[in-house]
Every structure is written in C-alpha cells, then in structure tokens.
C-alpha cells in the first residue's frame, strides 16, 4: 500500500481535521479526503467519523492509529536525521590520527570544520601509525590522517597526500661542540641518542635512516610520545630527531640547536588513508572533501 496513505492518515488523526492535515502536508483538502477513502477501502473498514466540526476516530481507527503513529514518527525521525546528515547540521564523524598529525596538522583543521558545522560531533581515535593502519584494515575505523614514509602504498588502502614535513636532528647546550659544523652519522653513534620507542612509525623512520648508511643506532632513551623528545634534549640528556615544527619554539629561544648533518634526512608525508572498498557515511565523505578542498584553514 502507498505509504502516502499512511502519512495522510497520521496527520488527519493527529489534528482531527482535514484542513489542518492538508496544510501540514502541503496538499489540497480533496487530496487528503481521497487518500483516507482509498486507505479505508484497502483496509475494508472506516477509520474516521466525519462531522461539520472535523473528524474523529472510529474504534478501529483509534486502535490502528496507535500503531501507525509510532511507525510514522520513527520514519519521520529517520528522514530528519538523514536530511540533517546531508546538510551537515548534525551527526558524527570518526577520525583516526597519530600524535604527530594532531599536533602538527589536524587540530586547526578540525577546529575550522567544527566552526563551519557546529552540529557535527568529532570523535578522534588516537594511536601510532601502525595501529591506525591495522584499525583501518580491520574495518574498525573508516579513515585516518597519518604520517607515512614518502611513497608509502598498500594494495588494500587508498593513500592521498595532504602535506609533508622535515625532520631535523637537534641537541641541547650540553652538546654545543657540535654546533656550526657538519656532523657525520658515524660520529652520532658515540653520543647518547633519544628516540621514540619501537613499534612506532617515527622510530621505524629513525632506524631506517641510519640503516641506509649501514649504521645501527641504539638509543639511550626511548619515549612513548614525540612531544617529550624536545624537553629531554633541552635538558641535555641526549641528541634526537624530531619533526621540525615540534622544535620551532625551543629553536627560536636558543634552548636547543639544529645539527648540520652530512646526510640529508628525507621528508615525510602526512596522508589521508582509507580502505579502498570502504563505503563512508555522508558526513565522513563531506569531511574528506573538506580536508582536500582549498576552502579550509591550512596550518
């Protein structure tokens, strides 16, 4: 049976008036009357008793309305939620991110997106890059903004470049003898090194950089988060590699200095990563389009 008949029945029952129902439905009164008669004919019993003052339920109509009203209101609510999602006026977007992407890139973008769409709630999943990649592959999250090595690819993942950044080697005043001259990687092996703990993409990048020159670094201090590296180095406990933006403030204050290395550290990428065959929500797709657009705040 045509759902419009039930929709019309709902509004006539709600207002107990044909004219009021027609206004609510933006149709003519004859259209409402026709729909009710068609529904009654299909069901084989009258649903309303007509009078000059309006309409009132028959006993069968009143009982029928209780079930139809519940069903219609559920459908109307679902339609409203879908429309709100299409208009980005309410809903939820879940985003995976690593520590570095949050600190260096994503936070101002999220703030700008929420300013434009205050009804959208943001849910952030924060873990290191290998864990985030596994979460995407397992289907637990739809997409993430992560740091990867240049040229990263995976047969099951879509990888879209967003920006890149430079890592630098830094030291504190305790190692001022290294300032202003070119330092070899072999020479660094004789100094206490600070790095991220194993199992993180940043640590893998650190190790790979030295391995490319047949060196195996053995860090004296291993940390769980990147933002601890600069304070440790500032305190004179070692030499380490960090994304340049993390060190900018301490560099400008002269608390630490950048080493001039004999070998250049490769740049790393920040990429949008999602499963190739994943179907995203309307809000998820809208956020990705926003992320890739030029009409957003760029860090």
């Amino acid at each position: 049976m045509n759902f419009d008949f039930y929709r019309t029945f709902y509004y006539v029952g709600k207002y107990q008036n044909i004219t009021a129902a027609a206004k609510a439905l933006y149709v003519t009164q004859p259209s409402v009357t026709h729909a009710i008669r068609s529904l009654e004919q299909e069901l084989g019993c009258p649903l309303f008793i007509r009078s000059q003052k309006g309409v009132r339920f028959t006993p069968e109509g009143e009982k029928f309305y209780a079930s139809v009203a519940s069903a219609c209101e559920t459908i109307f609510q679902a339609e409203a939620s879908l429309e709100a999602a299409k208009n980005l006026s309410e809903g939820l977007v879940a985003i995976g991110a690593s520590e570095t992407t949050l600190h260096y890139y994503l936070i101002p973008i999220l703030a700008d997106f929420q300013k434009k769409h205050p009804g959208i709630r943001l849910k952030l999943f924060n873990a290191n890059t290998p864990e985030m990649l596994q979460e995407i592959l397992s289907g637990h999250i739809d997409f993430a903004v992560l740091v990867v090595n240049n040229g990263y690819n995976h047969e099951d993942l879509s990888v879209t470049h967003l920006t890149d950044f430079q890592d630098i080697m830094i030291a504190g005043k305790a190692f001022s003898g290294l300032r202003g001259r070119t330092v070899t990687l072999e020479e660094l092996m004789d100094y206490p090194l600070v790095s991220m703990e194993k199992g993180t993409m940043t640590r893998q990048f650190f190790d790979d950089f030295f391995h490319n020159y047949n060196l195996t670094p053995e860090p004296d201090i291993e940390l769980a988060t990147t933002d601890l590296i600069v304070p440790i180095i500032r305190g004179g406990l070692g030499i380490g590699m960090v994304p340049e933006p993390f060190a900018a403030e301490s560099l400008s204050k002269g608390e630490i200095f950048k080493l001039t290395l004999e070998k250049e550290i490769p740049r790393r990428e920040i990429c949008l990563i999602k499963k190739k065959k994943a179907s995203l929500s309307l809000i998820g797709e809208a956020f990705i389009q926003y992320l890739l657009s030029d009409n957003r705040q760029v860090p």
Side-chain angles (χ1 to χ4, degrees):
M1 192 180 297
N2 190 332
F3 177 69
D4 284 340
F5 292 170
Y6 289 109
R7 187 190 299 269
T8 303
F9 171 69
Y10 168 81
Y11 279 102
V12 173
K14 179 179 180 179
Y15 295 114
Q16 299 285 291
N17 185 279
I18 299 289
T19 301
K23 287 182 179 179
L25 291 164
Y26 298 99
V27 298
T28 63
Q29 293 183 43
S31 296
V32 172
T33 300
H34 172 74
I36 295 300
R37 286 176 177 171
S38 297
L39 181 61
E40 289 176 328
Q41 185 176 358
E42 290 283 348
L43 295 174
C45 70
L47 300 172
F48 293 105
I49 298 171
R50 283 78 170 173
S51 70
Q52 292 183 346
K53 294 182 178 180
V55 297
R56 56 186 175 87
F57 288 119
T58 63
E60 294 77 16
E62 186 170 13
K63 184 176 180 181
F64 187 58
Y65 180 80
S67 298
V68 170
S70 177
C72 282
E73 286 166 4
T74 298
I75 292 172
F76 298 158
Q77 185 177 8
E79 289 176 339
S81 294
L82 181 58
E83 190 64 25
K86 288 163 58 180
N87 295 332
L88 301 182
S89 57
E90 66 176 45
L92 172 72
V93 59
I95 304 162
S98 63
E99 177 202 6
T100 301
T101 57
L102 279 172
H103 279 289
Y104 168 62
Y105 179 75
L106 200 53
I107 288 177
I109 291 176
L110 293 173
D112 191 48
F113 180 80
Q114 193 163 62
K115 182 179 179 181
K116 288 180 170 65
H117 308 290
I120 301 297
R121 292 185 297 119
L122 303 174
K123 186 172 184 180
L124 292 176
F125 294 90
N126 177 227
N128 62 49
T129 294
E131 291 173 340
M132 285 286 100
L133 291 173
Q134 188 55 47
E135 291 293 296
I136 296 170
L137 289 168
S138 64
H140 294 155
I141 60 174
D142 292 329
F143 63 89
V145 178
L146 302 172
V147 175
V148 294
N149 295 341
N150 284 345
Y152 173 82
N153 67 79
H154 189 288
E155 61 180 1
D156 296 322
L157 297 175
S158 169
V159 181
T160 304
H161 173 84
L162 297 173
T163 188
D164 57 22
F165 63 92
Q166 182 67 55
D167 287 276
I168 59 173
M169 196 70 71
I170 58 173
K173 295 177 181 178
F175 304 97
S176 58
L178 298 175
R179 186 195 295 267
R181 65 179 182 86
T182 301
V183 180
T184 67
L185 300 188
E186 290 82 358
E187 189 177 358
L188 286 180
M189 297 297 99
D190 296 328
Y191 287 87
L193 296 176
V194 180
S195 77
M196 291 283 286
E197 61 188 9
K198 288 185 178 294
T200 63
M201 188 67 76
T202 296
R203 174 58 182 273
Q204 186 64 52
F205 178 77
F206 178 86
D207 288 344
D208 288 347
F209 174 62
F210 285 96
H211 290 165
N212 286 337
Y213 300 100
N214 299 314
L215 297 170
T216 303
E218 296 182 0
D220 295 78
I221 299 176
E222 297 180 330
L223 301 168
T225 60
T226 307
D227 60 358
L228 289 175
I229 294 178
V230 172
I232 291 291
I233 292 172
R234 191 170 58 227
L237 298 177
I239 296 169
M241 182 190 295
V242 293
E244 192 165 14
F246 278 59
E249 183 177 353
S250 288
L251 284 170
S252 67
K253 292 179 179 179
E255 298 170 336
I256 59 174
F257 63 94
K258 174 184 173 182
L259 273 65
T260 301
L261 297 181
E262 178 190 32
K263 303 297 184 180
E264 183 179 358
I265 301 174
R267 296 181 71 84
R268 285 194 285 168
E269 292 186 88
I270 292 179
C271 294
L272 169 70
I273 301 179
K274 63 186 183 72
K275 205 169 183 178
K276 286 182 177 178
K277 298 181 180 180
S279 178
L280 301 182
S281 68
L282 291 173
I283 296 174
E285 289 284 7
F287 179 80
I288 288 177
Q289 291 304 311
Y290 165 80
L291 189 63
L292 299 176
S293 75
D294 297 326
N295 300 318
R296 59 169 176 77
Q297 179 177 332
V298 179

